[in-house]
Each structure stands twice: as C-alpha cells, then as structure tokens.
Amino acid sequence: MKLFISIVLLICSGLVGYHYANKLVKRRVFYEAMREFNKYFKSEVSFSKNSILTIINEKNSNEDFYKLLKNNLKITNNDVVVSYLKKDELSYIKNYAENLSNRDAKTLVKYLEQHDLTIEGYLLEAKENENKYKSLYVKLGVLFGLIIFILLL
C-alpha cells in the first residue's frame, strides 16, 4: 500500500511540475500571437485599410491573445483567464487593445510600430524564462516526488 501511495505521489508531483512548466510555454505562445497580430494588423492598416473588427474576424483564432483582445474591445464578454501573465502585462495589453480602435490609419501605424519593441521585449523575456525554468520545474516536481517516495518507504 505504501508503494502504491508513493508512486501516486511521485506522479502527482511530476504533473504539478509539468503544470508550472506549461505556464511558461503558454506565456511564450501568447506573446508570439501578439507579435504576429501586431505585424499583420500594421500591414492591413497600411495597405488595405480594414477595420480591427474585420481583421480579428478574419483571423478567428482560438488563442488566448485573440480571446483577450476581443474581450478588451468589447466584442465578446467571455472571461478570459490568463494566469500566466503578470498584472502589469495584463494592464499593458488592455491599454494596447483599447487604443487600437480609436485612431486613424496613419496614427495607428505609428502606434503599432512603437509597440513592436515592447512586444519583442516581452517575447524575449518569455523565451528566456521558458528556456531557464521549464525543465527545472519538471525536474523539481519529480525530485520532490522522489523524496516523498523515499520517505514513505
């Protein structure tokens, strides 16, 4: 019985480590989607003069960034939970989204160009954190499980 409980705790602690590592992956994917949207929206506004609603509906992506963007633009009222982002990042994204819809094309292109570097900075930080900590979280979870396994036996 002790062996069974020890194995279950080992697996559970490994899964907890994997869960925390997965948050880092989601954060990187979020900022990659944001960078892609920023570049795509900038080219669309520059050349085709499409509105933001048209562009978001064309994308019709199910990624967290697009869900959060739609929610901040009041297109949908779904609660989007992005627990892997910090509060200052959420406020930045909210400010970013609110300022997309109330500008003319020329000013909007300049606004999007200004945010290129900030988004790249967030993406670079997310990639660095993923490379540093992703495997660490999984290893720590398994190590913690092994310690419990040894103590219970």
Side-chain angles (χ1 to χ4, degrees):
M1 188 65 180
K2 280 185 180 180
L3 181 64
F4 177 73
I5 292 172
S6 299
I7 291 173
V8 168
L9 288 174
L10 175 66
I11 292 171
C12 288
S13 63
L15 288 174
V16 168
Y18 176 76
H19 172 71
Y20 281 106
N22 196 31
K23 284 185 174 185
L24 296 172
V25 174
K26 285 182 178 181
R27 186 169 181 258
R28 177 190 47 83
V29 168
F30 181 90
Y31 282 116
E32 285 175 345
M34 187 173 183
R35 180 184 62 182
E36 175 199 336
F37 170 80
N38 199 55
K39 288 180 180 180
Y40 181 73
F41 189 52
K42 186 171 35 173
S43 67
E44 285 292 315
V45 168
S46 298
F47 300 112
S48 67
K49 309 282 191 233
N50 285 337
S51 71
I52 188 166
L53 298 175
T54 308
I55 293 168
I56 290 175
N57 289 333
E58 281 177 8
K59 279 295 199 181
N60 199 16
S61 180
N62 220 10
E63 295 174 354
D64 286 343
F65 171 71
Y66 288 99
K67 291 177 185 176
L68 191 62
L69 186 64
K70 288 177 182 179
N71 198 29
N72 284 326
L73 290 172
K74 309 289 189 267
I75 298 171
T76 60
N77 286 329
N78 299 336
D79 286 334
V80 181
V81 178
V82 282
S83 61
Y84 48 87
L85 294 178
K86 302 172 194 163
K87 288 190 181 211
D88 62 323
E89 293 172 334
L90 283 173
S91 64
Y92 168 75
I93 293 164
K94 184 177 181 181
N95 185 31
Y96 172 83
E98 287 173 351
N99 288 314
L100 288 178
S101 59
N102 56 3
R103 295 176 184 259
D104 62 291
K106 198 174 195 180
T107 310
L108 188 56
V109 170
K110 288 181 184 177
Y111 176 77
L112 294 170
E113 287 172 353
Q114 289 173 347
H115 286 279
D116 278 343
L117 289 176
T118 308
I119 295 168
E120 285 295 327
Y122 280 131
L123 179 60
L124 182 64
E125 179 188 345
K127 284 181 180 179
E128 287 174 356
N129 285 342
E130 181 184 2
N131 290 338
K132 281 184 198 175
Y133 302 118
K134 180 181 173 188
S135 62
L136 176 72
Y137 288 156
V138 174
K139 290 175 185 175
L140 281 176
V142 171
L143 182 64
F144 184 72
L146 282 173
I147 291 171
I148 293 173
F149 182 80
I150 291 169
L151 290 175
L152 287 177
L153 290 180

